[in-house]
Amino acid sequence: MIRKSILLATATFFMATAGSAYAASARDNISIVGSSTVYPFATVVAEQFGKTTSFKTPKIESTGSGGGFKLFCAGVGVEHPDITNASRAMKKSEYDKCQANGVKEIVEVKIGYDGIVVANSKKASPLKLTRKDIFLALAKNVPDPSGAEKLVPNPYKTWKDVNNSLPAAKIEVLGPPPTSGTRDAFVELVMEEAAKGFPFIKAMDKNDFKAAAHTVREDGPYVEAGENDNLIVQKLNANPDALGIFGFSFLDQNTDTIQGSFVDGVQPTFEAIADGSYPVSRPLFFYVKKAHVGVIPGIQEYLTEFTSEKTWGEDGYLSEKGLIPMPDQERQQYQSDVKALKPLMMK
Amino acid sequence: MNNATANGLPPGRRAIDIVNAGLSKRYRRERRFRLYGISAILASLLFLSFLFGSIISKGYTAFQQTFIRLDIFFDPAILSQESLTTANYPGVVKQSLRQMFPEVTTRQDKRMLYGMVSNDAAFQVRKLVLDSPEMIGQTLPIWVAADDDIDMLMKGHFDLDVPESERRINDVQLAWVDRLQQENRVEKRFNRTFFTAGDSREPEQAGILGAVMGSFYTLLVTLLLSFPIGIASAVYLEEFAPKNRWTDLIEVNINNLAAVPSIVFGLLGLAVFLNFFGLPRSAPLVGGLVLTLMTLPTIIIASRASLQSVPPSIREAALGIGASKMQMVTHHVLPLALPGILTGTIIGMARALGESAPLLMIGMVAFIVDIPGGLTDSATVLPVQIFLWADSPERAFVERTSAATIVLLAFLIVMNATAVILRKKFERRW
């Protein structure tokens, strides 16, 4: 009796497996992977898309930009994702890998901008920083304070040491770990730019420059707080002297408790990031596999939903979630490129 | 007297005197020993009640949701017959809000006003109109879900004593809510959405049904595979296999597998099931296969222990009256060992239900709105849903995270209680 039921169960299972293996050859929902920064925006669009059309809601995995490209470029076919989100542009090496695996035509869609903010609790007053201040406070090696043209281990303990006009509070910055796309962008947009302001660092050869500009100090003032921005916000509330580094959308959600610091005289507001006067902002993208359009149902319609004014426009629902829209002209440009599925060319 | 001398004790001092002298000390030790035990139990109960207390006190409010009554005018100008599926339903909701608060004129205030109700309201209206188009032209009272910020306010999660700039709800919105309350337009009801919807980015529309169904399909696959395979291996190893170096090696390996961190099984699943066999990502089928690998050792070990506890006399009696070895196993040993095997299986299943790490590698940590309807549909599971919500910035997800944890704990308690009852009911002692 028991043996029979075991046999029956096994048989049923294998039939189910065979049946579903057949079903898997025709996937009917869009599969999206990629950046955790784009995830909160993409999920909102996906949900709207699922509700307002007859297509299934796309599935979105948050794998990070690099992990997303790896999955995306693995090949063409239903078992590979159709779209990958990225908080940076595709690299040449990733493009080559895509080509080598048969992913020939890729459509690049820029969706808008995300500002990176340096914020603190509203219990303290907002800081007026420059990128040079941030570099001097956070780099592992900084130019000798005595004026000699060499790098010394970072001696600064308080913001006042860095710049006399700043308060005498201890330097304590909570930020993302090196695996994060936010960290990459922060290093590139703030640290590197500031390092270029020192002629002797700028004159270094490429590798030395990178080492000087990209290395963040490890002696305590910079605290790697993990990828959970919620946690950073809570810690800022508990410690008014601390600063935190994260995406603008998080500042936007928590304006009741935290405030963005001025960077080079500009406060990170929606308008300042949109018109480009706030210096620390980066574009966000997603990439579409052209070979899947028309094979997986709904990709074309998802693209239309994403690139419509009510989604990514000035008053679109993505702007309510903290995405900074592109200027009108750029938006129209991408909209028509997406309509024509213009493939990305990288030489 | 004689035996005192025989024991070598000084005269006049009996053995019982020595015992009596040390007796109170022994009693004290005994009491201390018991006290250690009791305090250990009390400590663990304390931690447990702390855990349950904090989860339940944070989570119980999520089972209620604030609703607002709107007088919706199904405006024939907006809802023209030919395009009912794509009509401007948000416009209908906005219009009724504007009519209720005619004094709101500036653009910013209007946006705040529209933000008071969930954007699901428009879909609710759409469904009503599509179901019964004869409503068009009438004005009807409709209860719609409030936005998550209003919901948090009604549940008292916002401290209203802090200055206006430091809260999510400003004074204007507070005044609106007060007015709605005076008109009896605000009500807290049981949150059905939480049990009937899939995931959503809007807390008031998010539910756990998708994750529960995903867990169900995943566990179904796990059970169908690991139960027969586990019993078959246990029976063979215990009843048929010769005792030699090879079976020893197998035994050591099974015991080892039971202690391997679960993420390793996820990596294995990624390499074998996804990359080699090309099974779909994020599917409960693959999740079930991976969890099968993880629960198999538990089931095999429990089944073997249970088979061992069947006395050899039963086997010998069966063989003695001419039963074949297979008949001995299927007619006598297995039925007697089954309660123990079932207990082991249920405990293995309970562990699989609470597992999230191996599923990370095979793409089950994903935003999935649609409720899975089969083994190869994209799905996520309960612990993963809890993890995803815990990471969301919206404050209303805090209580939903705890509420989902309560549901998960309820499932675990039911499963473990079943295991205990089965054991109590069918257990035989020899």
Side-chain angles (χ1 to χ4, degrees):
Chain A
M1 183 57 207
I2 287 161
R3 213 161 48 96
K4 263 187 202 151
S5 53
I6 291 173
L7 266 177
L8 197 71
T10 323
T12 325
F13 178 76
F14 278 110
M15 267 155 63
T17 317
S20 48
Y22 172 72
S25 63
R27 176 155 58 81
D28 58 355
N29 63 340
I30 304 173
S31 164
I32 302 174
V33 294
S35 164
S36 53
T37 313
V38 185
Y39 176 87
F41 305 124
T43 44
V44 175
V45 180
E47 200 177 333
Q48 278 290 324
F49 171 75
K51 273 190 180 164
T52 51
T53 65
S54 56
F55 297 102
K56 281 192 156 188
T57 310
K59 170 194 87 180
I60 304 181
E61 286 178 54
S62 161
T63 60
S65 302
F69 281 125
K70 209 173 150 191
L71 289 165
F72 181 79
C73 289
V76 173
V78 285
E79 67 272 32
H80 301 294
D82 314 311
I83 294 174
T84 184
N85 299 321
S87 56
R88 57 172 169 79
M90 188 183 241
K91 288 179 188 160
K92 177 80 173 90
S93 58
E94 287 157 346
Y95 181 76
D96 291 342
K97 198 173 165 230
C98 262
Q99 297 295 320
N101 288 333
V103 186
K104 297 286 182 205
E105 292 189 298
I106 303 161
V107 183
E108 181 184 73
V109 187
K110 197 197 238 185
I111 60 170
Y113 295 91
D114 179 34
I116 296 174
V117 303
V118 182
N120 64 351
S121 163
K122 273 210 166 151
K123 288 171 202 149
S125 52
L127 288 181
K128 291 192 169 62
L129 301 167
T130 63
R131 280 183 277 183
K132 187 180 157 202
D133 296 337
I134 300 174
F135 173 71
L136 291 179
L138 295 183
K140 187 171 186 188
N141 295 308
V142 294
D144 196 336
S146 68
E149 291 210 334
K150 65 176 167 71
L151 292 172
V152 293
N154 197 330
Y156 305 116
K157 295 278 176 249
T158 68
W159 287 103
K160 205 175 174 61
D161 296 345
V162 175
N163 182 340
N164 249 329
S165 67
L166 291 171
K170 210 175 105 201
I171 299 174
E172 188 177 354
V173 179
L174 307 159
T179 46
S180 153
T182 310
R183 167 83 167 257
D184 289 346
F186 174 77
V187 165
E188 195 178 305
L189 293 165
V190 176
M191 308 280 283
E192 210 176 293
E193 287 301 311
K196 280 182 193 156
F198 295 94
F200 79 97
I201 301 182
K202 200 180 175 189
M204 288 177 176
D205 74 52
K206 210 175 147 198
N207 285 338
D208 286 349
F209 175 76
K210 254 194 152 164
H214 286 202
T215 318
V216 172
R217 68 197 292 188
E218 287 159 354
D219 55 347
Y222 184 83
V223 185
E224 282 176 10
E227 298 261 18
N228 190 335
D229 292 343
N230 234 351
L231 208 66
I232 298 186
V233 172
Q234 282 175 21
K235 283 180 179 162
L236 292 185
N237 286 330
N239 179 1
D241 279 344
L243 295 178
I245 297 170
F246 38 80
F248 172 74
S249 43
F250 255 85
L251 176 65
D252 197 38
Q253 281 278 345
N254 293 285
T255 41
D256 54 335
T257 55
I258 51 174
Q259 60 197 352
S261 309
F262 289 82
V263 176
D264 293 346
V266 187
Q267 213 170 11
T269 58
F270 190 87
E271 291 75 20
I273 301 172
D275 67 18
S277 57
Y278 182 74
V280 198
S281 77
R282 57 172 165 171
L284 302 177
F285 301 89
F286 68 86
Y287 292 84
V288 187
K289 220 174 261 181
K290 197 174 169 184
H292 283 194
V293 180
V295 178
I296 307 291
I299 296 186
Q300 186 75 60
E301 289 79 1
Y302 176 76
L303 295 180
T304 312
E305 169 77 29
F306 215 125
T307 57
S308 68
E309 279 301 296
K310 74 175 163 71
T311 307
W312 73 355
E314 303 261 328
D315 291 320
Y317 57 80
L318 284 185
S319 73
E320 279 166 34
K321 289 276 170 188
L323 181 79
I324 316 289
M326 293 182 280
D328 291 348
Q329 212 185 342
E330 207 178 359
R331 247 180 7 244
Q332 279 157 16
Q333 177 65 39
Y334 270 100
Q335 202 169 19
S336 63
D337 284 359
V338 167
K339 218 170 201 161
L341 292 173
K342 194 172 149 196
L344 176 71
M345 286 298 178
M346 231 184 247
K347 283 284 165 292
Chain B
M1 271 302 149
N2 332 354
N3 53 3
T5 9
N7 286 341
L9 291 165
R13 203 164 144 73
R14 296 181 306 165
I16 191 72
D17 295 332
I18 302 175
V19 171
N20 279 340
L23 202 55
S24 61
K25 200 176 164 194
R26 271 170 61 191
Y27 280 149
R28 273 206 306 278
R29 280 180 132 175
E30 178 89 11
R31 273 200 302 274
R32 269 209 302 277
F33 190 66
R34 284 191 191 185
L35 207 65
Y36 293 148
I38 291 174
S39 47
I41 288 178
L42 279 181
S44 41
L45 278 181
L46 190 75
F47 286 129
L48 203 66
S49 57
F50 184 69
L51 174 81
F52 275 70
S54 90
I55 289 174
I56 292 172
S57 67
K58 269 191 209 154
Y60 78 97
T61 47
F63 296 115
Q64 285 203 317
Q65 160 73 34
T66 309
F67 283 81
I68 299 178
R69 181 163 54 95
L70 299 182
D71 296 324
I72 303 257
F73 173 49
F74 294 87
D75 191 345
I78 302 178
L79 307 170
S80 59
Q81 281 292 352
E82 50 271 25
S83 60
L84 275 187
T85 47
T86 54
N88 182 12
Y89 292 101
V92 176
V93 177
K94 285 175 185 174
Q95 195 181 30
S96 89
L97 279 166
R98 277 202 304 273
Q99 276 166 359
M100 283 164 64
F101 296 94
E103 73 278 11
V104 177
T105 47
T106 65
R107 200 177 133 64
Q108 207 194 346
D109 283 358
K110 274 186 190 165
R111 260 178 94 150
M112 254 162 39
L113 180 63
Y114 302 154
M116 300 263 289
V117 297
S118 163
N119 64 14
D120 191 46
F123 293 98
Q124 207 177 327
V125 173
R126 177 170 181 258
K127 196 169 170 295
L128 282 173
V129 171
L130 292 182
D131 285 351
S132 43
E134 67 274 9
M135 278 182 185
I136 295 172
Q138 300 179 24
T139 304
L140 295 172
I142 309 259
W143 288 94
V144 299
D147 184 62
D148 53 311
D149 278 340
I150 304 293
D151 189 37
M152 290 293 99
L153 173 76
M154 292 305 296
K155 288 172 181 169
H157 288 303
F158 289 133
D159 181 5
L160 294 178
D161 295 335
V162 298
E164 189 180 354
S165 69
E166 288 181 18
R167 21 180 163 95
R168 303 252 326 149
I169 301 268
N170 62 24
D171 288 347
V172 180
Q173 284 169 303
L174 271 182
W176 290 340
V177 174
D178 279 347
R179 217 179 95 188
L180 285 172
Q181 271 178 306
Q182 278 160 14
E183 294 171 16
N184 284 326
R185 286 176 181 278
V186 184
E187 201 173 282
K188 266 194 269 182
R189 295 181 177 183
F190 179 66
N191 186 359
R192 265 179 56 203
T193 315
F194 187 72
F195 294 98
T196 55
D199 196 6
S200 170
R201 281 305 312 290
E202 306 297 330
E204 74 275 5
Q205 298 168 36
I208 53 166
L209 186 62
V212 169
M213 289 312 285
S215 276
F216 170 74
Y217 286 120
T218 309
L219 284 189
L220 186 73
V221 174
T222 310
L223 183 67
L224 287 183
L225 278 179
S226 60
F227 189 59
I229 296 179
I231 291 188
S233 1
V235 166
Y236 182 79
L237 284 174
E238 208 47 54
E239 305 291 336
F240 296 94
K243 294 272 172 271
N244 60 24
R245 210 179 291 171
W246 291 110
T247 47
D248 283 350
L249 189 72
I250 289 172
E251 187 169 346
V252 168
N253 272 304
I254 289 174
N255 290 337
N256 247 338
L257 271 184
V260 166
S262 55
I263 186 86
V264 176
F265 292 107
L267 286 168
L268 189 80
L270 175 67
V272 177
F273 300 128
L274 293 190
N275 295 344
F276 186 71
F277 287 116
L279 291 173
R281 266 182 90 77
S282 319
L285 174 66
V286 184
L289 286 167
V290 168
L291 292 180
T292 300
L293 294 178
M294 203 192 77
T295 45
L296 255 183
T298 318
I299 293 182
I300 294 177
I301 291 169
S303 304
R304 290 189 66 179
S306 173
L307 287 168
Q308 271 165 9
S309 70
V310 177
S313 56
I314 287 177
R315 294 188 181 81
E316 282 153 16
L319 291 176
I321 57 167
S324 73
K325 247 190 151 179
M326 193 182 114
Q327 284 171 330
M328 169 201 95
V329 170
T330 54
H331 294 176
H332 301 282
V333 179
L334 207 51
L336 288 172
L338 211 54
I341 296 177
L342 285 180
T343 309
T345 309
I346 292 173
I347 288 170
M349 287 294 126
R351 201 187 139 198
L353 175 65
E355 198 57 72
S356 64
L359 305 178
L360 191 78
M361 309 306 301
I362 55 169
M364 288 187 85
V365 179
F367 176 73
I368 291 157
V369 175
D370 296 333
I371 290 155
L375 293 182
T376 50
D377 284 1
S378 296
T380 185
V381 294
L382 262 178
V384 170
Q385 189 66 72
I386 291 169
F387 166 72
L388 287 175
W389 282 351
D391 228 17
S392 302
E394 288 85 1
R395 211 171 301 182
F397 272 122
V398 174
E399 59 170 32
R400 276 163 180 80
T401 307
S402 298
T405 314
I406 294 174
V407 174
L408 182 66
L409 283 174
F411 276 119
L412 289 173
I413 289 172
V414 168
M415 286 173 85
N416 286 324
T418 316
V420 171
I421 290 168
L422 273 178
R423 199 170 56 214
K424 281 268 178 286
K425 198 163 158 89
F426 295 108
E427 193 177 42
R428 299 268 299 264
R429 288 188 186 279
W430 288 281

